[in-house]
Amino acid sequence: LRLDEAFEVTHAEETGSEIHLELRPRRSSEAISGVDLRAAADGEVLGFTVTDPSGNRVSWQFRDLVRNPKLEDSRFTFTIPPGVEVQDLEDAGGP
């Protein structure tokens, strides 16, 4: 689901190098009554605050993000659990 499909922009403001959007869910939600989103002019999300219908707010802020860092293959391991049957779809002529 795309952001613009889930939320309606009720206010938009550009201040210097930042964009501030106030978003409201298009459909009624028991969890979210609004989202305030801050982004850089290039679209990178800097932070957002989610408000629930009771007025409680939770905020996230992002700093020093690194996009697409090189990750070593050794960080990704998978051990097949005991008793699991493994099917190799490549050898079976699968897609």
Side-chain angles (χ1 to χ4, degrees):
L1 189 62
R2 291 172 33 130
L3 186 65
D4 61 343
E5 292 173 350
F7 292 93
E8 171 188 3
V9 177
T10 58
H11 178 79
E13 182 178 347
E14 189 169 348
T15 56
S17 61
E18 287 188 15
I19 299 167
H20 176 238
L21 300 175
E22 292 179 13
L23 310 170
R24 299 293 169 251
R26 291 192 182 275
R27 288 181 228 122
S28 180
S29 169
E30 293 181 15
I32 299 173
S33 63
V35 176
D36 293 329
L37 179 78
R38 286 186 320 103
D42 66 0
E44 182 175 323
V45 175
L46 303 172
F48 60 95
T49 299
V50 176
T51 304
D52 71 17
S54 297
N56 299 306
R57 297 185 315 183
V58 178
S59 295
W60 289 267
Q61 293 184 15
F62 305 109
R63 293 188 178 94
D64 303 322
L65 295 177
V66 178
R67 289 186 181 184
N68 301 317
K70 173 69 176 136
L71 300 175
E72 300 301 322
D73 289 343
S74 62
R75 296 187 71 174
F76 301 93
T77 60
F78 176 72
T79 304
I80 299 169
V84 172
E85 179 183 340
V86 176
Q87 296 180 352
D88 188 342
L89 297 178
E90 288 184 21
D91 289 343

